[in-house]
mmCIF file of all heavy atoms in Angstrom:
data_model
loop_
_atom_site.group_PDB
_atom_site.id
_atom_site.type_symbol
_atom_site.label_atom_id
_atom_site.label_comp_id
_atom_site.label_asym_id
_atom_site.label_seq_id
_atom_site.Cartn_x
_atom_site.Cartn_y
_atom_site.Cartn_z
ATOM 1 N N THR A 1 180.911 -156.566 -9.862
ATOM 2 C CA THR A 1 181.276 -157.248 -11.097
ATOM 3 C C THR A 1 180.454 -156.719 -12.250
ATOM 4 O O THR A 1 179.241 -156.587 -12.151
ATOM 5 C CB THR A 1 181.059 -158.760 -10.978
ATOM 6 O OG1 THR A 1 181.876 -159.296 -9.936
ATOM 7 C CG2 THR A 1 181.372 -159.463 -12.271
ATOM 8 N N THR A 2 181.133 -156.390 -13.335
ATOM 9 C CA THR A 2 180.441 -156.041 -14.568
ATOM 10 C C THR A 2 180.727 -157.111 -15.614
ATOM 11 O O THR A 2 181.822 -157.675 -15.665
ATOM 12 C CB THR A 2 180.869 -154.666 -15.082
ATOM 13 O OG1 THR A 2 180.102 -154.312 -16.233
ATOM 14 C CG2 THR A 2 182.343 -154.628 -15.455
ATOM 15 N N ARG A 3 179.733 -157.381 -16.423
ATOM 16 C CA ARG A 3 179.867 -158.371 -17.465
ATOM 17 C C ARG A 3 179.425 -157.784 -18.800
ATOM 18 O O ARG A 3 178.512 -156.958 -18.853
ATOM 19 C CB ARG A 3 179.038 -159.611 -17.150
ATOM 20 C CG ARG A 3 179.490 -160.363 -15.912
ATOM 21 C CD ARG A 3 178.660 -161.588 -15.653
ATOM 22 N NE ARG A 3 179.184 -162.375 -14.547
ATOM 23 C CZ ARG A 3 178.863 -162.158 -13.273
ATOM 24 N NH1 ARG A 3 177.990 -161.210 -12.955
ATOM 25 N NH2 ARG A 3 179.394 -162.915 -12.336
ATOM 26 N N LEU A 4 180.094 -158.216 -19.843
ATOM 27 C CA LEU A 4 179.762 -157.778 -21.188
ATOM 28 C C LEU A 4 179.498 -159.002 -22.030
ATOM 29 O O LEU A 4 180.423 -159.775 -22.318
ATOM 30 C CB LEU A 4 180.907 -156.949 -21.778
ATOM 31 C CG LEU A 4 180.656 -156.374 -23.166
ATOM 32 C CD1 LEU A 4 179.564 -155.315 -23.119
ATOM 33 C CD2 LEU A 4 181.933 -155.770 -23.746
ATOM 34 N N LEU A 5 178.244 -159.187 -22.416
ATOM 35 C CA LEU A 5 177.880 -160.265 -23.306
ATOM 36 C C LEU A 5 177.968 -159.749 -24.728
ATOM 37 O O LEU A 5 177.261 -158.805 -25.089
ATOM 38 C CB LEU A 5 176.466 -160.769 -23.001
ATOM 39 C CG LEU A 5 175.901 -161.827 -23.925
ATOM 40 C CD1 LEU A 5 176.767 -163.081 -23.912
ATOM 41 C CD2 LEU A 5 174.456 -162.165 -23.549
ATOM 42 N N MET A 6 178.809 -160.365 -25.517
ATOM 43 C CA MET A 6 179.052 -159.928 -26.873
ATOM 44 C C MET A 6 178.518 -160.997 -27.836
ATOM 45 O O MET A 6 179.029 -162.101 -27.886
ATOM 46 C CB MET A 6 180.547 -159.698 -27.128
ATOM 47 C CG MET A 6 181.163 -158.696 -26.171
ATOM 48 S SD MET A 6 182.898 -158.341 -26.539
ATOM 49 C CE MET A 6 183.643 -159.919 -26.168
ATOM 50 N N ASN A 7 177.489 -160.637 -28.568
ATOM 51 C CA ASN A 7 176.893 -161.515 -29.558
ATOM 52 C C ASN A 7 177.159 -160.979 -30.968
ATOM 53 O O ASN A 7 177.484 -159.808 -31.144
ATOM 54 C CB ASN A 7 175.383 -161.632 -29.338
ATOM 55 C CG ASN A 7 175.023 -162.380 -28.078
ATOM 56 O OD1 ASN A 7 175.665 -163.349 -27.720
ATOM 57 N ND2 ASN A 7 173.956 -161.927 -27.414
ATOM 58 N N SER A 8 176.987 -161.842 -31.930
ATOM 59 C CA SER A 8 177.165 -161.466 -33.335
ATOM 60 C C SER A 8 178.473 -160.733 -33.561
ATOM 61 O O SER A 8 178.532 -159.677 -34.192
ATOM 62 C CB SER A 8 175.979 -160.605 -33.795
ATOM 63 O OG SER A 8 174.756 -161.299 -33.632
ATOM 64 N N LEU A 9 179.526 -161.282 -33.024
ATOM 65 C CA LEU A 9 180.840 -160.639 -33.111
ATOM 66 C C LEU A 9 181.304 -160.506 -34.539
ATOM 67 O O LEU A 9 181.056 -161.385 -35.376
ATOM 68 C CB LEU A 9 181.864 -161.411 -32.286
ATOM 69 C CG LEU A 9 181.761 -161.190 -30.777
ATOM 70 C CD1 LEU A 9 182.508 -162.267 -30.033
ATOM 71 C CD2 LEU A 9 182.303 -159.806 -30.419
ATOM 72 N N GLU A 10 181.982 -159.419 -34.805
ATOM 73 C CA GLU A 10 182.504 -159.094 -36.129
ATOM 74 C C GLU A 10 184.012 -158.904 -36.034
ATOM 75 O O GLU A 10 184.546 -158.606 -34.961
ATOM 76 C CB GLU A 10 181.845 -157.814 -36.649
ATOM 77 C CG GLU A 10 180.338 -157.881 -36.705
ATOM 78 C CD GLU A 10 179.703 -156.529 -36.981
ATOM 79 O OE1 GLU A 10 180.427 -155.516 -36.990
ATOM 80 O OE2 GLU A 10 178.481 -156.499 -37.189
ATOM 81 N N PRO A 11 184.724 -159.096 -37.150
ATOM 82 C CA PRO A 11 186.176 -158.865 -37.107
ATOM 83 C C PRO A 11 186.563 -157.491 -36.580
ATOM 84 O O PRO A 11 187.614 -157.339 -35.954
ATOM 85 C CB PRO A 11 186.582 -159.039 -38.576
ATOM 86 C CG PRO A 11 185.582 -159.994 -39.122
ATOM 87 C CD PRO A 11 184.284 -159.629 -38.454
ATOM 88 N N GLU A 12 185.712 -156.495 -36.809
ATOM 89 C CA GLU A 12 185.987 -155.153 -36.330
ATOM 90 C C GLU A 12 185.948 -155.057 -34.814
ATOM 91 O O GLU A 12 186.390 -154.031 -34.248
ATOM 92 C CB GLU A 12 184.992 -154.156 -36.934
ATOM 93 C CG GLU A 12 185.158 -153.925 -38.432
ATOM 94 C CD GLU A 12 184.661 -155.098 -39.294
ATOM 95 O OE1 GLU A 12 183.882 -155.921 -38.771
ATOM 96 O OE2 GLU A 12 185.076 -155.173 -40.463
ATOM 97 N N ASP A 13 185.425 -156.060 -34.148
ATOM 98 C CA ASP A 13 185.392 -156.080 -32.682
ATOM 99 C C ASP A 13 186.719 -156.563 -32.100
ATOM 100 O O ASP A 13 186.900 -156.529 -30.872
ATOM 101 C CB ASP A 13 184.274 -156.980 -32.173
ATOM 102 C CG ASP A 13 182.899 -156.469 -32.571
ATOM 103 O OD1 ASP A 13 182.654 -155.250 -32.428
ATOM 104 O OD2 ASP A 13 182.063 -157.291 -33.004
ATOM 105 N N THR A 14 187.621 -157.033 -32.934
ATOM 106 C CA THR A 14 188.926 -157.482 -32.450
ATOM 107 C C THR A 14 189.656 -156.331 -31.774
ATOM 108 O O THR A 14 189.843 -155.260 -32.348
ATOM 109 C CB THR A 14 189.758 -158.023 -33.617
ATOM 110 O OG1 THR A 14 189.110 -159.175 -34.171
ATOM 111 C CG2 THR A 14 191.152 -158.406 -33.150
ATOM 112 N N ALA A 15 190.065 -156.547 -30.533
ATOM 113 C CA ALA A 15 190.700 -155.499 -29.755
ATOM 114 C C ALA A 15 191.105 -156.041 -28.398
ATOM 115 O O ALA A 15 190.736 -157.167 -28.028
ATOM 116 C CB ALA A 15 189.783 -154.297 -29.576
ATOM 117 N N THR A 16 191.852 -155.246 -27.664
ATOM 118 C CA THR A 16 192.046 -155.497 -26.244
ATOM 119 C C THR A 16 190.957 -154.767 -25.489
ATOM 120 O O THR A 16 190.774 -153.561 -25.648
ATOM 121 C CB THR A 16 193.423 -155.016 -25.776
ATOM 122 O OG1 THR A 16 194.442 -155.662 -26.538
ATOM 123 C CG2 THR A 16 193.620 -155.336 -24.295
ATOM 124 N N TYR A 17 190.223 -155.482 -24.694
ATOM 125 C CA TYR A 17 189.107 -154.915 -23.949
ATOM 126 C C TYR A 17 189.519 -154.651 -22.516
ATOM 127 O O TYR A 17 190.067 -155.530 -21.832
ATOM 128 C CB TYR A 17 187.903 -155.854 -23.993
ATOM 129 C CG TYR A 17 187.182 -155.825 -25.309
ATOM 130 C CD1 TYR A 17 187.742 -156.366 -26.456
ATOM 131 C CD2 TYR A 17 185.931 -155.209 -25.432
ATOM 132 C CE1 TYR A 17 187.111 -156.323 -27.682
ATOM 133 C CE2 TYR A 17 185.269 -155.157 -26.633
ATOM 134 C CZ TYR A 17 185.859 -155.702 -27.769
ATOM 135 O OH TYR A 17 185.204 -155.651 -28.975
ATOM 136 N N TYR A 18 189.252 -153.437 -22.060
ATOM 137 C CA TYR A 18 189.627 -152.995 -20.723
ATOM 138 C C TYR A 18 188.406 -152.680 -19.898
ATOM 139 O O TYR A 18 187.453 -152.059 -20.399
ATOM 140 C CB TYR A 18 190.511 -151.755 -20.798
ATOM 141 C CG TYR A 18 191.841 -151.955 -21.473
ATOM 142 C CD1 TYR A 18 191.970 -151.767 -22.846
ATOM 143 C CD2 TYR A 18 192.952 -152.331 -20.737
ATOM 144 C CE1 TYR A 18 193.186 -151.954 -23.480
ATOM 145 C CE2 TYR A 18 194.174 -152.511 -21.367
ATOM 146 C CZ TYR A 18 194.289 -152.319 -22.739
ATOM 147 O OH TYR A 18 195.490 -152.503 -23.351
ATOM 148 N N CYS A 19 188.457 -153.047 -18.653
ATOM 149 C CA CYS A 19 187.451 -152.662 -17.678
ATOM 150 C C CYS A 19 187.924 -151.414 -16.955
ATOM 151 O O CYS A 19 189.119 -151.242 -16.703
ATOM 152 C CB CYS A 19 187.226 -153.798 -16.686
ATOM 153 S SG CYS A 19 186.097 -153.462 -15.350
ATOM 154 N N ALA A 20 187.011 -150.530 -16.607
ATOM 155 C CA ALA A 20 187.357 -149.300 -15.918
ATOM 156 C C ALA A 20 186.231 -148.882 -14.978
ATOM 157 O O ALA A 20 185.068 -149.279 -15.159
ATOM 158 C CB ALA A 20 187.642 -148.182 -16.921
ATOM 159 N N VAL A 21 186.578 -148.053 -13.982
ATOM 160 C CA VAL A 21 185.593 -147.573 -13.016
ATOM 161 C C VAL A 21 185.895 -146.111 -12.673
ATOM 162 O O VAL A 21 187.053 -145.703 -12.623
ATOM 163 C CB VAL A 21 185.579 -148.454 -11.749
ATOM 164 C CG1 VAL A 21 186.905 -148.362 -11.012
ATOM 165 C CG2 VAL A 21 184.406 -148.070 -10.849
ATOM 166 N N ARG A 22 184.839 -145.351 -12.445
ATOM 167 C CA ARG A 22 184.942 -143.973 -11.981
ATOM 168 C C ARG A 22 183.800 -143.703 -11.006
ATOM 169 O O ARG A 22 182.819 -144.453 -10.992
ATOM 170 C CB ARG A 22 184.959 -142.971 -13.139
ATOM 171 C CG ARG A 22 183.672 -142.974 -13.953
ATOM 172 C CD ARG A 22 183.723 -141.933 -15.062
ATOM 173 N NE ARG A 22 183.783 -140.576 -14.537
ATOM 174 C CZ ARG A 22 184.034 -139.485 -15.257
ATOM 175 N NH1 ARG A 22 184.277 -139.609 -16.559
ATOM 176 N NH2 ARG A 22 184.056 -138.296 -14.677
ATOM 177 N N ASP A 23 183.877 -142.601 -10.310
ATOM 178 C CA ASP A 23 182.887 -142.340 -9.270
ATOM 179 C C ASP A 23 181.535 -141.896 -9.818
ATOM 180 O O ASP A 23 180.508 -142.150 -9.188
ATOM 181 C CB ASP A 23 183.420 -141.317 -8.262
ATOM 182 C CG ASP A 23 183.814 -139.991 -8.899
ATOM 183 O OD1 ASP A 23 183.824 -139.894 -10.147
ATOM 184 O OD2 ASP A 23 184.127 -139.061 -8.156
ATOM 185 N N PHE A 24 181.506 -141.259 -10.973
ATOM 186 C CA PHE A 24 180.240 -140.754 -11.499
ATOM 187 C C PHE A 24 180.358 -140.443 -12.977
ATOM 188 O O PHE A 24 181.400 -139.969 -13.429
ATOM 189 C CB PHE A 24 179.787 -139.512 -10.724
ATOM 190 C CG PHE A 24 178.456 -138.969 -11.147
ATOM 191 C CD1 PHE A 24 177.290 -139.618 -10.770
ATOM 192 C CD2 PHE A 24 178.359 -137.838 -11.929
ATOM 193 C CE1 PHE A 24 176.046 -139.139 -11.161
ATOM 194 C CE2 PHE A 24 177.118 -137.351 -12.328
ATOM 195 C CZ PHE A 24 175.970 -138.000 -11.936
#
């Protein structure tokens, strides 16, 4: 599990956020 704590959010942070994984 990965988590992203987002503080001090700004309007420019508005987006669809995607999780991804790769081997290296």
Side-chain angles (χ1 to χ4, degrees):
T1 298
T2 185
R3 296 181 175 87
L4 183 67
L5 175 60
M6 303 184 293
N7 292 322
S8 302
L9 283 163
E10 303 169 353
E12 291 74 19
D13 297 315
T14 297
T16 302
Y17 284 71
Y18 296 89
C19 176
V21 65
R22 63 179 295 170
D23 58 352
F24 183 75

